[in-house]
Amino acid sequence: MGTTAVLLVADPGGTATALRVLEEELSAIDLACSRFRPDSELSRANRADGPVTVGPLFAEAIEAALRAAEATDGAVDPTVGPAVSALGYDRTFASVRPEDVAPVTPVRPSGWRCIEWHARARRLRLPPGTALDLGATAKALAADRAAERATRLTGCGVLVNLGGDLATAGPAPGGGWQVAIADDHTAPADGAGPAVSVRSGGLATSGTTVRSWRRGGRTLHHIVDPATGDIPVPLWRTVSVAAATCVDANTAATAAVVRGAQALSWLNTLRLPARLVRTDGSVVVVGGWPPDPAADPARAQGGSR
């Protein structure tokens, strides 16, 4: 997945079992959903000329992606594969050339409603020219699955953090899991930034600064506006959202980046706690997110209802 993985357990005795579960879940989701493995189910489905029958895990990932698309009115769309590739993210991020003088031509996605999916038969058909990219939901799904299964087998609280997609399961430690919030999930937790206590559910941060590159004099990133096939109009640098699951949290965080100025009212309507950082570094909190020293007080007050 080209990211970091952090595992925490409330009982050290469960570490070995939880780690085994996490490694198994990561291997399974990579084989099912990787855009960069020719042998993954996703790659085979994207190449298929006609319907294909998929395995249970890939089916779960497809359904998570379709629910995300429906819940966000298409702001998070699994058919952005060609659009992301056209912007330059056509290989693993570690292999993306940081600077390329060639200009890019955005490719508008086919749209999630064109996907033919029969859940009971696990049959998938993609129209010609359509390719899936489950980056907005698959990693979060892996975090949810790993945390739930690890808790089931260890009987203790577990936290799984996959590159900023964080899932918890089971009883949290006293005071909750203490999570530092940052633009970059690899940044050291020096205590200078904000932190929140997570007792259950998921927490996800989507951002535009860590996975970025340049093409034709433009700074681009991996979050695509499905309405245009291009990156969204720059407004939010990072968005952190808490929700019942990591998939829900990451879906909302990604959609907020895409929605831009409409994100605040949308998140408030959903009553999801969120922290949004503008490109100039100013902060807005909504939905009852804890007060932030850097936040806009007017926005924070208005968003806490």
Side-chain angles (χ1 to χ4, degrees):
M1 291 186 182
T3 190
T4 59
V6 176
L7 170 69
L8 302 178
V9 292
D11 179 358
T15 301
T17 297
L19 180 58
R20 174 177 56 81
V21 167
L22 177 56
E23 290 172 339
E24 290 173 355
E25 291 291 339
L26 290 178
S27 295
I29 205 76
D30 190 54
L31 185 58
C33 301
S34 173
R35 194 161 57 92
F36 309 112
R37 291 183 57 157
D39 62 338
S40 72
E41 285 196 81
L42 182 142
S43 294
R44 294 200 301 270
N46 285 344
R47 292 193 304 265
D49 182 16
V52 294
T53 301
V54 305
L57 177 56
F58 191 44
E60 186 178 352
I62 291 171
E63 292 184 0
L66 292 176
R67 285 196 303 272
E70 184 172 16
T72 62
D73 295 323
V76 176
D77 190 317
T79 66
V80 296
V84 176
S85 294
L87 293 178
Y89 195 4
D90 55 354
R91 64 203 73 195
T92 60
F93 188 74
S95 302
V96 171
R97 295 181 297 274
E99 174 63 66
D100 192 321
V101 296
V104 298
T105 301
V107 174
R108 187 172 178 176
S110 303
W112 66 279
R113 294 187 184 279
C114 77
I115 298 173
E116 296 181 23
W117 171 243
H118 301 278
R120 181 170 296 182
R122 301 205 305 269
R123 296 282 286 179
L124 172 69
R125 183 182 182 278
L126 301 175
T130 300
L132 298 181
D133 180 336
L134 305 184
T137 50
K139 181 157 60 74
L141 176 63
D144 281 329
R145 285 175 52 93
E148 288 290 342
R149 185 173 158 221
T151 289
R152 216 166 43 240
L153 294 179
T154 63
C156 71
V158 172
L159 180 149
V160 172
N161 179 14
L162 302 180
D165 290 348
L166 184 152
T168 68
W177 301 101
Q178 301 302 304
V179 179
I181 306 299
D183 285 356
D184 185 351
H185 62 271
T186 63
D190 56 8
V196 294
S197 175
V198 178
R199 296 182 180 276
S200 63
L203 175 67
T205 297
S206 292
T208 62
T209 59
V210 176
R211 294 203 172 193
S212 64
W213 59 93
R214 291 185 63 80
R215 289 289 185 277
R218 299 176 63 202
T219 298
L220 305 171
H221 53 77
H222 68 296
I223 298 179
V224 171
D225 182 350
T228 64
D230 205 345
I231 62 172
V233 175
L235 178 60
W236 307 117
R237 190 171 74 196
T238 56
V239 178
S240 301
V241 178
T245 67
C246 187
V247 169
D248 289 347
N250 196 54
T251 296
T254 303
V257 174
V258 173
R259 285 176 175 269
Q262 299 176 351
L264 297 176
S265 59
W266 181 69
L267 290 167
N268 265 325
T269 299
L270 297 176
R271 299 184 180 276
L272 290 176
R275 178 182 187 267
L276 303 91
V277 183
R278 298 186 183 93
T279 54
D280 65 5
S282 59
V283 177
V284 186
V285 295
V286 298
W289 185 278
D292 189 310
D296 178 339
R299 289 290 191 181
Q301 184 178 2
S304 62
R305 61 182 182 273

